[in-house]
Amino acid sequence: MAKYVLSRLIAMVITLWIIVTITFFLMHAVPGSPFNQERNTSEAVQQNLEAHYHLDEPVFIQYVIYIKSLATLDFGPSIKQSSTSVNEMIGRGFPVSAELGVISLLIAVISGMILGILAALKHNGVIDYIAMTFAVIGISVPNFIMATLLIQQLAVTWEIFPVATWASPVHMILPSIALATGPMAIIARLTRSSMIEVLNQDYILTARAKGMTTFQIVTKHAMRNALLPVITILGTLVAGVLTGSFVIEKIFAIPGMGKYFINGINDRDYPVIMGTTVFYSAFLILMLFVVDIVYGILDPRIKLHKRGN
Amino acid sequence: MGLPEQKEGKIQAPDDLFVPLRESSADAEMIAKPSISYWKDAWLRLSGNKLSMSGLVMLILLVTMAIIGPMITPYSYEHQVLTEGNLPPSFEHWFGTDNLGRDMFTRTWNGARISLFVGFMAAIIDFLIGVAYGGFSGYKGGRVDHFMMRIIEILYGLPYLLMVILLMVVMGPGLFTIIIALTVTGWVGMARIVRGQVLQLKNAEHVLASRTFGASASRVIRKNLLPNTMGPIIVQMTLTVPTAIFAEAFLSFLGLGVQAPVASWGVMANDGLSVILSGHWWRLFFPAFFISLTMFAFNVLGDGLQDALDPKLRR
Amino acid sequence: MKKLVVLLLSLVLLLGIVGCTTTENSSSNSGSENDESKEESKKVLKLNNGSEPTSFDPPIGFDSVSWNALNNLMEGMTRLDQDDQPQPAAAKEWELSDDGKTYTFHLRDAKWSNGEPVTAEDFEYAWKRLANPDTASPAAFLAYFIEGAEAFNTGEGSEEDMMVKAVDESTLEVQLESPVPYFPSLVSNPAFFPVHKDTVEADPEWHTEADTYVSNGPFKLTKWEHDSKFVFSKNENYWDVANVKLDEVDWAMVDDTNTEYQMYKTGELHTSDVPADLSEELFDNGQAQVEDQSGTYFYRFNLDMEPFQNENIRKAFAMAIDQQKIVEFVTKNEEKPAHGFVAYGFEDASGGDFREVGGDLVTTDANKAKELLEKGMEEEGYNELPNVTLTYNTSDAHKKIAETLQQMYKEVLGVNIDLANQEWNVFSDEQKQLKLQFSRSSFLADYGDPINFLESFQTGHSMNRTGWSSEEYDSLIQQAKEETDEAKRFELMHEAEALLFEEMPIFPIHFYNQVYLQNEDVTGIVRHPVGYMELKDAAIK
């Protein structure tokens, strides 16, 4: 096991390095410049700006400089917001995004699984239909529409919640719901479908025959196997949600880090693009690793660290 | 192996009673299906499921409307009547008009062509690549799996927006570019789900049995593993459809998609967001409603398919 | 199963810790906010800055998200009044030499927010810093009016040769390259704001946090939660503090217009932009207000690409467009339709408005457009017009206009054009490299003079982007820049603009404006056409 973990960790560094390299050359291959503004500036000014950020050097030299500073975990300064370093951006944006993300994920996972299990137990019954209609709406109404509707109804019309910003726990309710809807629906669908499969397995029937209650069957036997697809998508979902949602953060004016992913690229703010990519990728790879470990715990038959047949 | 020779025994049977088996000995151990094929049986069970069939009918209706819808009004999807902007649904304009006075009914069905096409294509391509990749990776396991999963991590980690902008610059706008952009990373979710399921199932008794009898990897994946993972695969496919429809709108935003004045459902839903405040609800409602309806149809059809394809539920 | 439970629990716990720590922060924040609101006598204005300011360092923050705030934190030699005319601010008066090239500013007794006096040396330091190539200011080109600044900025000259000098504590002398009658208006631009020399030299990061920020304007920066909000309070050291009516300005950073509007509706903001779909309704019921903005929305032809090498075809494409219809039915923001390039709001020597004197240089005329198209096609020997693609950078507003143009060409000229949208940065690059045939464009003035608009189309200017080049035009602009007589200068500029429209490398759609909603209790906010806001006289009931 220890050997397996070590080999995964080494692979992680290599994977990250490949991602960094591809992203670096990709972003320099894409047309545009961080200094393209609606307002005009002169050629000389552009050159001064490029020199200031070493953008006038050959791309490969820039790459070497970047890798060197990356080795010390220094992501460099943002070009667009010149008063901020990328480390600072992530440092203050991530906790906010993570907080929102954790709340949303908890809502999504708990309610999604409950809905899915209920639907599976009452397969083709009324509860099943209601739960799945719920899920269909959750998936097909995108979160920007959901968010705007929630604000308009609950904040503007009924004045129950504040409209936006990130000032107090009350401010977190609407964005958490808006962000949780999609993942909740997906989890509900996946839980239901794998639950249905598992519930038809022989060992469940045996358990039932032995007189176990439905609750016992679900928690002791069925859940364990039905969880697998949910765990699979949770890996990427956690990484995605915790590093912030651009749309939700924009609509609710939340100072998270979601906007840096999009704005960094739109502004061709090279250090921001690299910093967010490295951070996200590292997080994601780690989560996928955790998922593989959880596979093994959930189902001892799955052995990843032995050579295949 | 071969037929045992009958040299000893109390009862001596005449030699001519024993006709040598024509078929090769390998066939004897073939895991043959009963006369009714798996797919035929699935179809029988699917067609018996009323709800699923209604989903299928809905999809057929949506596709039909996408084809004929724009033709049954006297308006064209692009013709503006600037003085008749933002009219609510009425007898003249069934779905109302948009801010430039274009008929929303015509525009909605014209947009359906793109959205449905993109949704279907994305689902099919994700299925083909994702199942093949994930199935192979999970079945082989070990180093192959390790390596293939690292490739997926790289695809996940690369900034999608950046890739797509470059794609746009290199390939120019168009439906084909959209499909490419959706496929670049679209299949990885499916691949991971399939891989996870295969990892879990490949040590199950029926799979082991099949492997003991020397079935090839591709055969084991197709006949033993996939039918048992159909549930999550179908769910994932149905999730792909709305994701693709909205991704198309996002890609249009970057200039990859079909160009104005053509507008897909996703683009219309995006453009219509501020109508939540202004009260011109029909501009958001119709595209959003049909996206949901498509999604709903796919889901009930998918649920039926899951039941129909699940070998454990076979009669 | 136990393992799973343990794993899940520890995961929840881990995440919970992250959650709790941040919750504590935010709840303590909200606590302090409540304390503040208890002091009811405080006059607090709640505004929205849209997003995190690029920078509060004057030469770096060269955009609207920095300007609105910066203009009220700092104060240049002059400040624009309600009629957008420069009034004495940090300078109490100034003199102009007879050749129109040397300005001498006399500073008033003013103090920085840290109590130190505002000196001429601060100004000299700030202006040289603006031009210094190491500062890498995107606004450096504005300093080029000062003799020696361009050479310094491009690395060909030295700092000493830039002709701005503090004669004594309170006198600044500036020599210009050529006479610039609008120089007092120009120095109201945030790029020319002073900086406190000692602070800047001691701490290059002085402008990044509220604690270290030193300002000389009506307000000082008391709190800056990056990416979230910032707070101004009245600067007690400001020379005219008696006339500052607000105690505090809270700036939110809400990027979404719908949300901004919703916050305005619930009273969380005092002003708001108008969401796209609501302008008609809000104008009808009188809530939306409008202010000019110095800038033009226009389209560029690419003269290097067929068929726009032909003047008559260009004119046909320009005349087929009905600007009035576009502002009335498409943009619906009460913009003024544009029939010339220079916006309204520039007075000549005899008090006439430049635009009104210049008149309509391009008019909507369907018949004439058809005629010109035929003539142009004949000249080029076209049986069929080459394909035309109109490109715009992605935005709903640009899309609407592009779609309308497409329809107008179809109806008026019988020409089917294609539309294409591109992401901003790609678009901007391709337009500069003359890769776009026919493209959406905009111009926003940096300072209040028609020459700022017109100099764009000189040969080789970075704003030209049409492939158009006219020696006559270049020389007219050059003459206008050197002319000391105001009447003559305006005449030259009119001549240049007329020439531009005779050859039509561009055609205008509308002039920009600023549409906003404002709480009835708020008075005295001034929005200047050059793009920054004045809160010095703002008040709230």
Side-chain angles (χ1 to χ4, degrees):
Chain A
M1 189 69 187
K3 208 175 154 194
Y4 174 67
V5 171
L6 187 73
S7 80
R8 279 297 291 260
L9 286 175
I10 293 168
M12 206 184 277
V13 175
I14 297 170
T15 313
L16 258 182
W17 172 71
I18 295 173
I19 292 174
V20 166
T21 307
I22 298 178
T23 307
F24 193 90
F25 290 99
L26 198 64
M27 81 185 178
H28 282 284
V30 166
S33 130
F35 314 117
N36 267 344
Q37 284 197 347
E38 185 94 31
R39 271 173 202 284
N40 178 49
T41 55
S42 73
E43 290 290 322
V45 168
Q46 293 270 350
Q47 280 164 14
N48 284 336
L49 283 164
E50 279 173 16
H52 189 81
Y53 291 100
H54 302 288
L55 295 177
D56 50 349
E57 311 236 22
V59 176
F60 188 74
I61 304 289
Q62 293 183 44
Y63 172 72
V64 174
I65 296 174
Y66 187 78
I67 291 290
K68 274 184 190 161
S69 73
L70 190 61
T72 60
L73 288 181
D74 177 9
F75 294 137
S78 159
I79 297 177
K80 195 78 187 171
Q81 292 181 20
S82 50
S83 39
T84 315
S85 76
V86 179
N87 291 59
E88 282 171 346
M89 279 180 164
I90 297 173
R92 57 182 189 233
F94 178 64
V96 176
S97 289
E99 185 180 10
L100 174 64
V102 168
I103 300 171
S104 306
L105 273 179
L106 285 179
I107 298 175
V109 171
I110 294 170
S111 54
M113 289 198 44
I114 292 175
L115 269 182
I117 291 169
L118 284 180
L121 288 173
K122 309 281 173 196
H123 186 28
N124 287 336
V126 181
I127 295 181
D128 186 13
Y129 292 153
I130 293 174
M132 286 309 110
T133 309
F134 220 62
V136 166
I137 293 172
I139 296 168
S140 52
V141 175
N143 54 14
F144 63 88
I145 294 182
M146 182 67 81
T148 313
L149 274 173
L150 282 174
I151 297 180
Q152 187 63 15
Q153 285 308 316
L154 300 179
V156 178
T157 311
W158 295 347
E159 299 190 11
I160 303 171
F161 297 105
V163 175
T165 72
W166 195 242
S168 72
V170 187
H171 286 82
M172 298 175 191
I173 298 172
L174 290 185
S176 312
I177 296 173
L179 188 56
T181 322
M184 180 202 78
I186 293 173
I187 291 170
R189 295 274 316 148
L190 273 176
T191 309
R192 172 185 178 274
S193 86
S194 55
M195 238 0 221
I196 289 174
E197 262 175 24
V198 171
L199 287 176
N200 286 310
Q201 302 275 7
D202 294 340
Y203 68 91
I204 299 288
L205 299 176
T206 315
R208 215 181 273 278
K210 283 197 309 191
M212 286 176 85
T213 64
T214 309
F215 183 77
Q216 283 172 318
I217 291 171
V218 169
T219 50
K220 290 211 166 156
H221 297 288
M223 269 257 280
R224 195 178 175 122
N225 287 311
L227 264 177
L228 213 64
V230 179
I231 295 290
T232 307
I233 65 151
L234 263 185
T236 48
L237 205 59
V238 168
V241 170
L242 260 56
T243 49
S245 152
F246 173 73
V247 175
I248 294 296
E249 287 178 9
K250 181 171 185 257
I251 292 179
F252 288 99
I254 295 168
M257 72 173 290
K259 64 172 161 295
Y260 301 134
F261 289 91
I262 307 286
N263 292 348
I265 291 172
N266 284 342
D267 297 337
R268 304 292 189 274
D269 195 337
Y270 299 131
V272 175
I273 299 178
M274 292 310 298
T276 49
T277 302
V278 171
F279 184 82
Y280 172 72
S281 304
F283 196 2
L284 180 97
I285 294 172
L286 200 69
M287 290 316 298
L288 294 186
F289 178 46
V290 172
V291 166
D292 275 349
I293 299 285
V294 175
Y295 276 175
I297 297 171
L298 279 179
D299 192 335
R301 284 174 300 176
I302 298 178
K303 288 191 178 64
L304 288 157
H305 50 284
K306 269 191 188 162
R307 207 171 286 179
N309 314 58
Chain B
M1 287 189 279
L3 281 173
E5 285 179 40
Q6 305 278 331
K7 277 186 179 171
E8 288 172 332
K10 284 181 181 169
I11 302 165
Q12 289 281 327
D15 277 359
D16 57 339
L17 276 180
F18 294 90
V19 182
L21 201 58
R22 278 281 174 84
E23 292 89 341
S24 74
S25 55
D27 283 354
E29 274 143 21
M30 202 178 95
I31 313 123
K33 290 270 163 193
S35 59
I36 181 165
S37 82
Y38 172 66
W39 294 105
K40 197 169 174 190
D41 177 69
W43 168 247
L44 280 175
R45 281 191 289 160
L46 181 67
S47 53
N49 185 332
K50 277 189 195 132
L51 191 69
S52 297
M53 288 319 282
S54 70
L56 190 64
V57 171
M58 248 187 266
L59 281 179
I60 292 168
L61 274 179
L62 283 166
V63 172
T64 315
M65 279 309 284
I67 297 166
I68 64 162
M71 296 177 222
I72 58 180
T73 58
Y75 313 101
S76 90
Y77 71 91
E78 53 173 8
H79 187 74
Q80 310 168 358
V81 185
L82 293 179
T83 47
E84 293 181 8
N86 290 327
L87 296 179
S90 66
F91 196 69
E92 282 84 47
H93 298 280
W94 299 330
F95 290 178
T97 63
D98 72 0
N99 52 348
L100 297 177
R102 295 174 290 197
D103 182 57
M104 276 299 288
F105 183 85
T106 321
R107 283 181 74 71
T108 303
W109 293 115
N110 194 63
R113 295 175 178 181
I114 300 140
S115 291
L116 290 176
F117 176 74
V118 166
F120 280 120
M121 285 301 285
I124 292 167
I125 295 174
D126 284 7
F127 174 79
L128 292 178
I129 304 181
V131 167
Y133 193 99
F136 188 75
S137 180
Y139 184 77
K140 282 286 172 189
R143 279 196 182 155
V144 176
D145 176 54
H146 189 69
F147 181 72
M148 287 176 87
M149 285 304 115
R150 299 297 84 72
I151 292 179
I152 283 195
E153 281 170 5
I154 292 171
L155 278 175
Y156 262 127
L158 290 176
Y160 183 61
L161 182 56
L162 209 56
M163 290 198 266
V164 170
I165 293 173
L166 193 67
L167 196 69
M168 148 78 200
V169 174
V170 175
M171 293 184 61
L175 261 184
F176 184 65
T177 317
I178 287 269
I179 298 293
I180 297 286
L182 288 175
T183 339
V184 174
T185 57
W187 55 272
V188 289
M190 175 73 87
R192 292 197 64 249
I193 295 242
V194 173
R195 176 218 176 219
Q197 293 291 96
V198 168
L199 280 176
Q200 188 185 24
L201 281 171
K202 72 175 178 185
N203 294 322
E205 287 81 358
H206 67 282
V207 181
L208 289 174
S210 188
R211 275 159 66 181
T212 315
F213 285 119
S216 69
S218 141
R219 189 189 160 81
V220 172
I221 293 175
R222 274 186 298 117
K223 297 281 176 180
N224 298 101
L225 295 173
L226 281 190
N228 288 297
T229 53
M230 257 346 214
I233 290 177
I234 287 169
V235 171
Q236 184 69 23
M237 264 180 92
T238 56
L239 291 177
T240 307
V241 177
T243 313
I245 290 175
F246 288 113
E248 185 273 332
F250 168 73
L251 295 171
S252 285
F253 195 75
L254 298 171
L256 266 82
V258 288
Q259 294 295 337
V262 180
S264 63
W265 285 345
V267 170
M268 279 190 255
N270 269 330
D271 288 359
L273 189 61
S274 67
V275 305
I276 292 177
L277 315 180
S278 69
H280 303 137
W281 56 270
W282 55 92
R283 283 174 45 203
L284 179 62
F285 175 78
F286 289 107
F289 174 76
F290 286 111
I291 293 173
S292 301
L293 195 69
T294 309
M295 182 61 201
F296 183 78
F298 266 107
N299 271 275
V300 291
L301 181 63
D303 287 350
L305 267 178
Q306 187 192 349
D307 293 351
L309 295 178
D310 191 338
K312 292 178 289 293
L313 293 178
R314 276 184 81 170
R315 295 187 201 108
Chain C
M1 196 65 198
K2 264 182 202 160
K3 276 186 201 162
L4 172 70
V5 173
V6 172
L7 192 85
L8 284 178
L9 278 179
S10 51
L11 193 71
V12 170
L13 202 70
L14 191 78
L15 299 175
I17 294 166
V18 179
C20 290
T21 42
T22 41
T23 320
E24 269 164 30
N25 288 340
S26 43
S27 58
S28 64
N29 288 340
S30 67
S32 61
E33 255 162 44
N34 288 338
D35 298 341
E36 280 161 23
S37 60
K38 271 174 201 159
E39 300 170 40
E40 275 178 26
S41 58
K42 257 192 177 179
K43 302 279 188 200
V44 182
L45 180 65
K46 288 178 268 184
L47 297 178
N48 177 22
N49 198 50
S51 63
E52 169 87 356
T54 304
S55 174
F56 280 157
D57 191 11
I60 304 297
F62 186 61
D63 48 21
S64 54
V65 286
S66 311
W67 277 0
N68 277 340
L70 207 43
N71 191 44
N72 296 295
L73 284 173
M74 293 282 198
E75 183 159 276
M77 287 295 185
T78 61
R79 194 171 268 283
L80 300 182
D81 66 10
Q82 272 176 313
D83 303 318
D84 312 313
Q85 297 306 311
Q87 298 301 334
K92 64 174 186 269
E93 57 191 6
W94 58 85
E95 293 136 23
L96 179 58
S97 66
D98 290 341
D99 65 352
K101 285 185 172 182
T102 307
Y103 276 88
T104 310
F105 291 96
H106 300 283
L107 271 65
R108 72 173 79 240
D109 281 333
K111 283 196 174 109
W112 290 97
S113 54
N114 62 3
E116 307 253 330
V118 178
T119 64
E121 207 183 332
D122 289 333
F123 272 95
E124 182 193 330
Y125 178 73
W127 291 9
K128 284 184 168 167
R129 194 164 162 264
L130 170 67
N132 191 329
D134 294 337
T135 312
S137 162
F141 70 98
L142 286 176
Y144 290 3
F145 292 101
I146 301 169
E147 201 177 325
E150 183 163 5
F152 179 34
N153 187 243
T154 51
E156 283 156 21
S158 68
E159 187 167 349
E160 292 73 45
D161 293 335
M162 181 172 162
M163 301 309 281
V164 53
K165 199 168 162 40
V167 180
D168 58 42
E169 271 279 277
S170 63
T171 314
L172 188 79
E173 203 178 88
V174 194
Q175 272 180 43
L176 305 181
E177 289 273 355
S178 56
V180 182
Y182 46 88
F183 193 69
S185 162
L186 182 72
V187 293
S188 73
N189 187 294
F192 289 96
F193 286 171
V195 290
H196 186 239
K197 189 180 172 187
D198 296 341
T199 306
V200 178
E201 282 182 337
D203 175 16
E205 302 283 297
W206 67 281
H207 55 87
T208 60
E209 300 297 339
D211 304 342
T212 48
Y213 199 81
V214 179
S215 66
N216 71 330
F219 298 93
K220 60 184 180 193
L221 189 61
T222 39
K223 193 160 154 190
W224 188 2
E225 284 173 30
H226 292 278
D227 268 320
S228 181
K229 65 171 184 177
F230 52 92
V231 178
F232 286 0
S233 57
K234 192 189 282 192
N235 180 3
E236 300 299 341
N237 284 320
Y238 183 56
W239 63 271
D240 198 17
V241 68
N243 284 320
V244 178
K245 295 168 192 84
L246 293 172
D247 295 304
E248 200 177 293
V249 187
D250 287 357
W251 298 80
M253 298 182 199
V254 181
D255 197 13
D256 188 275
T257 313
N258 287 343
T259 310
E260 185 189 24
Y261 173 74
Q262 286 163 323
M263 288 176 77
Y264 168 80
K265 288 288 265 187
T266 56
E268 289 166 68
L269 288 175
H270 284 137
T271 68
S272 165
D273 283 351
V274 174
D277 214 42
L278 265 75
S279 56
E280 209 175 356
E281 182 190 331
L282 292 169
F283 273 115
D284 284 351
N285 65 22
Q287 287 186 48
Q289 300 176 50
V290 105
E291 214 75 66
D292 277 341
Q293 185 176 4
S294 247
T296 313
Y297 191 106
F298 66 105
Y299 271 85
R300 283 185 171 99
F301 295 115
N302 185 341
L303 274 67
D304 293 349
M305 280 189 183
E306 295 203 57
F308 295 123
Q309 79 282 20
N310 185 289
E311 190 180 304
N312 284 320
I313 296 181
R314 294 200 298 270
K315 282 185 176 166
F317 269 73
M319 293 175 91
I321 296 308
D322 187 343
Q323 282 89 347
Q324 181 63 41
K325 236 178 168 175
I326 291 176
V327 295
E328 202 171 321
F329 297 113
V330 181
T331 60
K332 297 180 190 169
N333 265 333
E334 308 218 332
E335 294 100 340
K336 291 174 183 158
H339 298 284
F341 188 65
V342 178
Y344 290 91
F346 302 113
E347 266 184 25
D348 60 22
S350 49
D353 187 276
F354 185 93
R355 180 75 276 126
E356 274 155 25
V357 175
D360 290 355
L361 298 172
V362 53
T363 45
T364 311
D365 186 337
N367 293 328
K368 189 85 187 291
K370 251 183 283 181
E371 245 171 64
L372 285 168
L373 180 68
E374 271 167 37
K375 199 173 154 201
M377 285 174 67
E378 210 170 292
E379 283 167 6
E380 298 295 328
Y382 292 144
N383 288 324
E384 215 179 307
L385 198 70
N387 273 341
V388 174
T389 304
L390 181 162
T391 313
Y392 57 97
N393 61 301
T394 309
S395 120
D396 287 348
H398 304 331
K399 181 161 83 176
K400 277 193 292 195
I401 295 177
E403 285 174 326
T404 312
L405 256 55
Q406 185 187 39
Q407 164 133 333
M408 285 176 173
Y409 288 134
K410 200 173 172 182
E411 280 175 356
V412 175
L413 300 176
V415 172
N416 284 313
I417 65 163
D418 294 325
L419 303 184
N421 69 316
Q422 290 182 335
E423 185 247 4
W424 160 251
N425 237 309
V426 174
F427 173 81
S428 174
D429 246 32
E430 297 210 333
Q431 191 181 55
K432 279 181 195 162
Q433 293 168 22
L434 294 183
K435 283 183 182 169
L436 305 177
Q437 190 182 12
F438 179 32
S439 56
R440 175 259 155 191
S441 306
S442 65
F443 173 81
L444 293 170
D446 297 311
Y447 50 90
D449 194 83
I451 196 77
N452 190 210
F453 285 76
L454 294 171
E455 66 182 358
S456 302
F457 297 101
Q458 297 174 93
T459 308
H461 194 278
S462 62
M463 266 299 274
N464 183 310
R465 305 178 198 174
T466 56
W468 184 67
S469 158
S470 158
E471 278 179 28
E472 196 187 342
Y473 187 83
D474 296 350
S475 100
L476 283 171
I477 298 295
Q478 225 37 57
Q479 287 173 48
K481 283 191 167 182
E482 277 151 28
E483 183 57 60
T484 40
D485 180 63
E486 271 299 89
K488 256 194 148 171
R489 196 171 74 90
F490 269 69
E491 217 167 89
L492 286 163
M493 293 194 291
H494 277 303
E495 228 175 289
E497 198 190 23
L499 179 66
L500 182 69
F501 279 86
E502 214 149 279
E503 305 208 356
M504 208 77 81
I506 58 151
F507 73 89
I509 301 286
H510 64 71
F511 297 118
Y512 280 104
N513 64 3
Q514 312 175 56
V515 183
Y516 59 93
L517 303 164
Q518 189 166 302
N519 190 302
E520 285 168 355
D521 293 344
V522 178
T523 54
I525 298 180
V526 182
R527 292 168 174 84
H528 296 303
V530 280
Y532 30 90
M533 175 189 259
E534 212 70 70
L535 300 174
K536 187 181 164 183
D537 299 319
I540 185 164
K541 269 182 212 162

